[in-house]
Amino acid sequence: MPELPEVETTRQGIAPYLVGHRIVDLQVRQPRLRWPIDKDLYTRLRSALIIAVERRGKYLILNTTQGSLLIHLGMSGSVRIVSKQASAEKHDHVDIILENKTCLRLHDPRRFGSLVWAGSKPETHPLLTHLGPEPLDAAFDGSYLYEVSRGRKVAIKNFLMNSHVVAGVGNIYANEALFIARIHPDRAAGNISQSRYMNLASCVKIVLTEAIRQGGTTLRDYVNGSGHPGQFRVQLQVYGRAGQPCAVCHRPIKRKRTGQRATYYCPNCQH
DNA sequence: CAACGGACCTGCCTGC
DNA sequence: TGCAGGCAGGTCCGTT
């Protein structure tokens, strides 16, 4: 997926076309996403006026006069604004149609994404209540990471990717932040000093901020709200670079598997 | 409570 | 050319 920078880039791209507009129809071509689309979704969205498009972690939140819709893009999802007449391609599963004949179209080949109705207080929805702080908020810092990691034996990379610890850091940016912070991805989270966590927290912020500035990372099929790919890929230092020289020491980047996920790191620079 | 594996899906690439 | 197998940006849930 779309990790946080891609979701944020998407949010910024689609918000101007949605806010202030009214939903007049919903077309669901494939209801079987991660969770089946609620049969009542059309009733809930019909004639709703979109007030704001927000983001929490990797969730997009469409706030309307009727309540909020959570949109998660899973591993392969994207949304864009198109004319409602534009012919639907394969995997274009849902159109949220506006009064001006444009629509928000969800495209998701792997169907790990979801559309979930969250009512009038989305922050109390179970998918959002347990999320950790936003990584770009002041509440996320080295002291926070240090405190919540005490006693945890899990590898720091998995810890960073745990949305209950911090919301929105996925595989790419966990790898990148650990490289810049020179921390080995397998190190136990509870065995990292406060000063190293101070550094790591700022590395996470730097990597995410820069990726947002570049419009996100496109590996295969990510496109933003206008259908354009992101540009951050060229700046990735370790992700997807197994065997290539480390930018710091020039020794080869290694790849291993942690759980089901690929981990990239420099065994010489990261400890 | 923490850690881990499985589940949900399709498409692309590699190697036989 | 065809097919099997591995792999991919996420994260919830059930079991240890």
Side-chain angles (χ1 to χ4, degrees), chain A residues 115-190:
Chain A
L115 293 188
V116 175
W117 184 251
S120 57
K121 287 188 186 157
E123 67 278 7
T124 65
H125 190 279
L127 287 171
L128 301 187
T129 45
H130 302 297
L131 289 181
E134 283 292 314
L136 296 178
D137 278 2
F140 176 77
D141 63 10
S143 302
Y144 165 78
L145 277 180
Y146 179 74
E147 279 168 31
V148 297
S149 63
R150 293 309 89 187
R152 302 288 294 270
K153 292 178 182 163
V154 68
I156 181 61
K157 174 164 174 271
N158 294 342
F159 187 70
L160 271 186
M161 290 173 64
N162 181 342
S163 65
H164 296 181
V165 172
V166 55
V169 179
N171 200 27
I172 296 179
Y173 300 108
N175 278 298
E176 293 298 309
L178 288 168
F179 172 77
I180 297 171
R182 303 175 72 103
I183 296 172
H184 195 289
D186 288 342
R187 177 172 282 273

Side-chain angles (χ1 to χ4, degrees), chain A residues 51-261:
Chain A
I51 299 163
V53 182
E54 298 180 333
R55 179 188 59 73
R56 180 76 175 92
K58 296 170 188 165
Y59 290 90
L60 286 167
I61 309 174
L62 241 62
N63 289 331
T64 81
T65 47
Q66 312 283 92
S68 294
L69 178 69
L70 307 183
I71 303 176
H72 198 292
L73 300 175
M75 295 266 251
S76 59
S78 60
V79 287
R80 45 189 304 199
I81 305 289
V82 296
S83 159
K84 76 170 186 179
Q85 268 107 22
S87 58
E89 310 276 311
K90 195 177 185 186
H91 306 308
D92 283 347
H93 303 313
V94 179
D95 286 354
I96 296 172
I97 300 164
L98 306 178
E99 89 291 341
N100 63 1
K101 298 183 167 45
T102 65
C103 68
L104 182 70
R105 180 166 286 174
L106 172 71
H107 177 87
D108 186 3
R110 291 177 69 186
R111 300 193 350 236
F112 281 13
S114 55
L115 293 188
V116 175
W117 184 251
S120 57
K121 287 188 186 157
E123 67 278 7
T124 65
H125 190 279
L127 287 171
L128 301 187
T129 45
H130 302 297
L131 289 181
E134 283 292 314
L136 296 178
D137 278 2
F140 176 77
D141 63 10
S143 302
Y144 165 78
L145 277 180
Y146 179 74
E147 279 168 31
V148 297
S149 63
R150 293 309 89 187
R152 302 288 294 270
K153 292 178 182 163
V154 68
I156 181 61
K157 174 164 174 271
N158 294 342
F159 187 70
L160 271 186
M161 290 173 64
N162 181 342
S163 65
H164 296 181
V165 172
V166 55
V169 179
N171 200 27
I172 296 179
Y173 300 108
N175 278 298
E176 293 298 309
L178 288 168
F179 172 77
I180 297 171
R182 303 175 72 103
I183 296 172
H184 195 289
D186 288 342
R187 177 172 282 273
N191 188 25
I192 294 174
S193 69
Q194 180 152 17
S195 66
R196 297 197 85 193
Y197 269 127
M198 294 297 206
N199 183 37
L200 178 58
S202 67
C203 290
V204 168
K205 288 172 193 277
I206 288 167
V207 166
L208 293 177
T209 303
E210 184 58 19
I212 291 169
R213 206 179 66 75
Q214 300 276 327
T217 300
T218 292
L219 292 182
R220 182 166 297 150
D221 44 17
Y222 166 75
V223 290
N224 64 21
S226 318
H228 297 299
Q231 300 300 318
F232 191 69
R233 181 177 193 170
V234 293
Q235 306 204 10
L236 296 175
Q237 309 234 40
V238 285
Y239 186 86
R241 304 186 55 120
Q244 297 180 42
C246 165
V248 175
C249 74
H250 309 299
R251 295 169 72 169
I253 298 297
K254 284 204 109 178
R255 175 201 151 106
K256 62 175 291 190
R257 291 188 76 74
T258 311
Q260 301 98 310
R261 312 303 295 276

